[in-house]
Amino acid sequence: QVQLVESGGGLVQPGGSLRLSCVASGFTFSSYAMRWYRQAPGKERELVARISTTGSFTNVADSVKGRFTISRDNGKNTVYLQMNNLKPEDTAVYYCYAALSPLPYWGQGTQVTVSS
């Protein structure tokens, strides 16, 4: 069955970096666009970054532009989110998302906490 397993979250000080990973299985990873979302307490889930099947197209939210980078390795069935210069407002649960058809699929999420 389809699985998306995120890892790499944790507690980091402001200005620090983390790299999130999402390992996919149960579908042909290289055929589907992937996204990262996040949800902070009391807020709606928001799109953070997205990447095309080959990685030739990427897009990140204005709130993280210049700090976050999305990438993928189709040979490893993995999508990454490199997060630099983290801020307290980046604190959230981060979710991997596969744009499968007819139904998309979500990972279980990984907590990122930015605090001194």
Side-chain angles (χ1 to χ4, degrees):
Q1 74 270 23
V2 175
Q3 280 195 310
L4 297 173
V5 180
E6 299 104 328
S7 62
L11 173 64
V12 63
Q13 292 187 342
S17 297
L18 285 173
R19 189 176 81 155
L20 305 184
S21 299
C22 171
V23 179
S25 60
F27 63 101
T28 305
F29 179 74
S30 59
S31 296
Y32 293 94
M34 298 293 294
R35 304 176 191 172
W36 285 98
Y37 286 79
R38 68 184 181 186
Q39 187 165 22
K43 295 189 175 182
E44 293 188 356
R45 194 169 294 190
E46 64 169 340
L47 176 63
V48 176
R50 52 184 177 154
I51 188 167
S52 62
T53 55
T54 62
S56 59
F57 170 81
T58 63
N59 181 258
V60 298
D62 287 344
S63 59
V64 305
K65 197 160 289 184
R67 301 188 297 122
F68 289 14
T69 303
I70 187 171
S71 62
R72 67 190 295 162
D73 184 336
N74 285 345
K76 295 182 178 180
N77 285 4
T78 303
V79 60
Y80 303 98
L81 186 67
Q82 178 67 45
M83 306 185 295
N84 298 328
N85 190 21
L86 283 159
K87 303 177 180 180
E89 52 264 41
D90 295 319
T91 295
V93 178
Y94 284 71
Y95 297 91
C96 181
Y97 171 102
L100 304 184
S101 179
L103 293 175
Y105 200 84
W106 296 88
Q108 83 287 353
T110 185
Q111 175 71 46
V112 171
T113 303
V114 185
S115 174
S116 56

